[in-house]
Amino acid sequence: MKKKVLLILLLLPLLSGCWDELYFKDLQIVTLVGIGGEKGDVTVHYSFPSVSGGNGVEYLTAKASGSSFSDARNNMNLKTGKVLDISQLQVLLLSDKSAEANIFDYLDSLYRTPRNRLSSHVALVKGELDAYMGNGKNENSGKTQDTPEFLTQLMDTIKEYSLSTDYNVQDMGSIMFAQGQDLALPLLKMSEESGQPELDGTALFNDFTYTGKSLDITESKMLNILQHNTGKFLRDTYIFEVQGREVPVTYEFIRSRKNWDIGETSITIRETIHVEIDEYSVTPVIGKGEFAELEKKLSAAIENDMQKTVESMQEAKSDAIGIGRRVRAFHHNLWEKGDWHDTFSELDIQVKVKVKVERTGILD
Amino acid sequence: MKPVMAPVQMFLLLFLVQTGTFFINFPSLMIKAAGRDSWWLFFILGLLHFPHLWLFERFYRDFKWTKFISLLYGIYWFFAMVSITSYTVYTLNVYAFPKTPTVVVILLITLVLLSASTSKTSTSVNLGVLMLPLIGVFLIFLMMSINNLEWTNLFPVGHMTSKDLFRGFFAAQLPFGGMELYLLFRYLTAGKIGNAKLMIYSGIWLVFFMFMLILSLAFFSLKEFTMISEPIIYLLKSQEVTFAERLDLIFIYIWLAWSIISLCGIAFAIMRLMNIHRVKKPNYVAAFLCIPYIPLVWYTATKTGTELNGRILTYGHMVFAFILPLIVILFNRYKGRKEPAK
């Protein structure tokens, strides 16, 4: 009996509810955050879904300024009915101007707070952040655009189709602090045609800061192959001259094997890439020695693009491939030559590509 | 002393005490001290676990549990329990219960501990079985990060200074903590324990900590360890799964159970010491010990408090697992005193 009474007494405090419970009805879940401004004067933009009568989900926006990310969030609470909660964040946008300073200064709070999600997508944006937050009106319908939802889907597509790098908040932190690899993030711009964001390329970083230089879409795909970090699909098209006429040839990446030959002053990157032919209107692919010729042309074209990609990165002093990781681990003399960004930019890096057409689709 | 457990139960209890609680922050401490050299340094030091246990097995009957020695070990284990609980409470406050009053968390943990330690012997001995499937789940989810590992993070090695080596040696002691319990548990264990059993146990212990260390080192970059003090939980936090928003929270609760079972193992040892010396009404003594226990845990459940406790525990381990057993065993062998064979 005594034990039962003791047990009941012990369980009583639990009935009063948990101190740490949070009700969704008390919070405003933010799915898109944009960080702009500069160190000491940060502007944080929030976009959050709200159910409006008859119109379904509408995205509302709000912004606040402060000396830091946390300070801006605290200031935001001064003017919102519900507390904004970023624990379900899906996309984090950084303004390209803000990223020209150390971006970790804006992000510390994101990593430090245990409730925050680390698997959110991250991208850099060109121009004013307001345009990306969903508070613009569509000229045709007059309704607020669902930019946050569109952005989430766009980022998923970028990841799935290897259109740019795919780093979440955690990956971004790890790479920023890594010795021998630099960050590269998808760079978005507002399309004048559709009024929606679209991918512009891949922004190159040097340690914690954006270099102001970026890779175009083809180079971004090459970067994914060089990093051996491709998404589910990677496709690209080249125009080759076949039988006296220009023919578009589209390949789909299957897999690749790398072999880096690292010397004292030069590096040779050898990539053997296995592909499937996705489009080749001069069928059959196999016949009259065209198969070998096609592999040769693809090898030369991809090699050329990869070489350009490496040169763009060298120019930006941004080792987004992570060659420096290998150099730091196994070629200490080269690593010790000086700052890796300088060494990387001065190295003679040659890319050699060998393409093997493994499949040709259901047509020959 | 009457044997109360089989060798497998003893090894399970010892494993849970040695691994519980500190395995989540050990990689960070070790890597901060010895950098990329930490993995091979810990591997070499970890190989000494077996000879250490072998020496305990060979000479445990020369380690006589006199009143004075029992009192010393009792105080040390009491302090170890305070340290483990304060670290557990601190971590829970940071990750899971930031708004729950600290004293409530301490009270609940203390009540569970008191209940387990005043229960039948078989409760403390068999409690660890509950953890076996959970440890498996824990390891499987950690392996989800395998695609994100960067193996070049393990190299280059051999760039340690003598100061780093010393700091690495010091940090590596934490996982060894609790092995002095073997000297007491062995008396309570029936049957013969051969070298093979000791080697298997030491092997499992070493593989477990090497796994935690290498996984952390390959997942995070070196500079991140200056900021991340619980890399294992942080690593789980960064994994995305479809069934839970915060994987880290699930594992924090598993880790809490692990820590409590580890504490029960130490509390069991203290209760056994009271039993050896026929202390009257040991359950009341255990309840009385909660009076200093709760405020001590409360006072040290802070960032600086837990760090200080960790350092003291490491020194304590050196004294109570190396120096004191050596002195007592040598003294008793010189005097010809030993515990009677069972």
Side-chain angles (χ1 to χ4, degrees), chain A residues 75-92:
Chain A
N75 292 338
M76 189 72 240
N77 289 334
L78 302 175
K79 47 187 176 182
T80 51
K82 289 179 181 177
V83 172
L84 298 185
D85 184 90
I86 59 166
S87 65
Q88 310 284 314
L89 182 67
Q90 289 178 342
V91 181
L92 171 70

Side-chain angles (χ1 to χ4, degrees), chain A residues 207-272:
Chain A
D207 276 341
F208 296 89
T209 55
Y210 172 43
T211 57
K213 296 187 169 71
S214 58
L215 301 177
D216 62 27
I217 305 294
T218 301
E219 289 174 334
S220 303
K221 289 177 188 173
M222 295 300 119
L223 173 61
N224 275 321
I225 298 176
L226 286 163
Q227 284 184 330
H228 283 240
N229 192 24
T230 51
K232 210 168 181 178
F233 308 100
L234 191 153
R235 293 180 188 134
D236 212 351
T237 304
Y238 292 105
I239 307 289
F240 295 142
E241 198 180 304
V242 183
Q243 295 168 9
R245 64 188 178 104
E246 290 193 331
V247 176
V249 178
T250 304
Y251 73 89
E252 182 170 330
F253 175 87
I254 300 173
R255 66 178 183 279
S256 66
R257 206 175 60 241
K258 70 179 171 188
N259 181 9
W260 293 351
D261 188 4
I262 300 173
E264 282 299 305
T265 55
S266 65
I267 293 175
T268 307
I269 298 172
R270 289 190 180 85
E271 290 281 348
T272 306

Side-chain angles (χ1 to χ4, degrees), chain B residues 28-198:
Chain B
S28 183
L29 296 172
M30 188 69 201
I31 294 163
K32 269 194 274 188
R36 298 186 208 281
D37 290 286
S38 54
W39 62 271
W40 68 262
L41 177 65
F42 182 74
F43 179 73
I44 290 173
L45 291 172
L47 291 175
L48 301 175
H49 191 266
F50 166 67
H52 198 152
L53 273 189
W54 180 84
L55 286 171
F56 279 174
E57 173 61 24
R58 173 81 178 75
F59 297 108
Y60 77 94
R61 287 203 302 116
D62 292 309
F63 190 91
K64 203 169 158 55
W65 288 95
T66 61
K67 276 188 178 170
F68 178 66
I69 291 295
S70 299
L71 181 68
L72 285 181
Y73 274 86
I75 293 169
Y76 169 60
W77 287 335
F78 180 78
F79 173 73
M81 285 182 69
V82 169
S83 305
I84 291 172
T85 316
S86 66
Y87 182 67
T88 308
V89 169
Y90 173 76
T91 309
L92 282 174
N93 274 347
V94 169
Y95 275 92
F97 309 129
K99 300 296 170 205
T100 304
T102 307
V103 70
V104 173
V105 181
I106 298 171
L107 275 175
L108 289 173
I109 292 178
T110 310
L111 286 170
V112 174
L113 273 178
L114 186 63
S115 163
S117 51
T118 54
S119 304
K120 285 187 287 184
T121 307
S122 57
T123 308
S124 298
V125 169
N126 294 321
L127 212 52
V129 180
L130 290 172
M131 278 311 296
L132 287 177
L134 297 178
I135 293 174
V137 173
F138 204 99
L139 296 177
I140 287 168
F141 276 93
L142 281 174
M143 283 181 200
M144 276 174 55
S145 64
I146 215 128
N147 284 335
N148 300 93
L149 302 184
E150 181 55 56
W151 298 106
T152 56
N153 283 356
L154 305 185
F155 302 99
V157 291
H159 292 269
M160 251 190 322
T161 62
S162 53
K163 195 179 167 187
D164 294 338
L165 186 70
F166 176 76
R167 288 171 60 216
F169 173 81
F170 188 76
Q173 297 310 308
L174 209 54
F176 288 82
M179 69 188 303
E180 73 284 350
L181 287 164
Y182 189 89
L183 290 167
L184 180 67
F185 287 172
R186 186 62 187 93
Y187 281 118
L188 309 171
T189 307
K192 197 170 176 285
I193 295 178
N195 289 345
K197 284 178 185 167
L198 292 176

Side-chain angles (χ1 to χ4, degrees), chain A residues 10 19-20 87-88 104 111 113-119 170-171 173-174 177-179 325 328-330 332, chain B residues 36 94 97-101 111 150 152-153 155-156 159 219-221 224 227 234 237-238 240 245-246:
Chain A
L10 291 176
W19 283 270
D20 286 286
S87 65
Q88 310 284 314
F104 191 73
Y111 292 99
T113 310
R115 288 187 66 240
N116 288 347
R117 191 189 266 185
L118 294 176
S119 55
Q170 164 60 29
D171 298 331
S174 261
F177 284 99
Q179 289 176 300
R325 285 185 185 266
R328 191 211 61 234
F330 305 114
H332 210 64
Chain B
R36 298 186 208 281
V94 169
F97 309 129
K99 300 296 170 205
T100 304
L111 286 170
E150 181 55 56
T152 56
N153 283 356
F155 302 99
H159 292 269
F219 188 85
F220 297 101
S221 54
E224 282 181 284
M227 298 179 286
Y234 210 94
K237 180 174 162 50
S238 61
E240 193 175 14
E245 175 60 34
R246 285 189 62 190

Side-chain angles (χ1 to χ4, degrees), chain A residues 264-296:
Chain A
E264 282 299 305
T265 55
S266 65
I267 293 175
T268 307
I269 298 172
R270 289 190 180 85
E271 290 281 348
T272 306
I273 302 171
H274 295 250
V275 301
E276 175 173 357
I277 296 301
D278 208 41
E279 183 184 39
Y280 187 77
S281 57
V282 196
T283 51
V285 178
I286 304 168
K288 298 175 188 173
E290 281 178 8
F291 200 83
E293 186 61 25
L294 181 63
E295 283 183 339
K296 208 172 152 186

Side-chain angles (χ1 to χ4, degrees), chain A residues 5 27 30 42 54 152 169 208 227 247 263 283 321:
Chain A
V5 172
L27 301 170
V30 174
V42 179
T152 307
V169 174
F208 296 89
Q227 284 184 330
V247 176
T283 51
I321 308 171

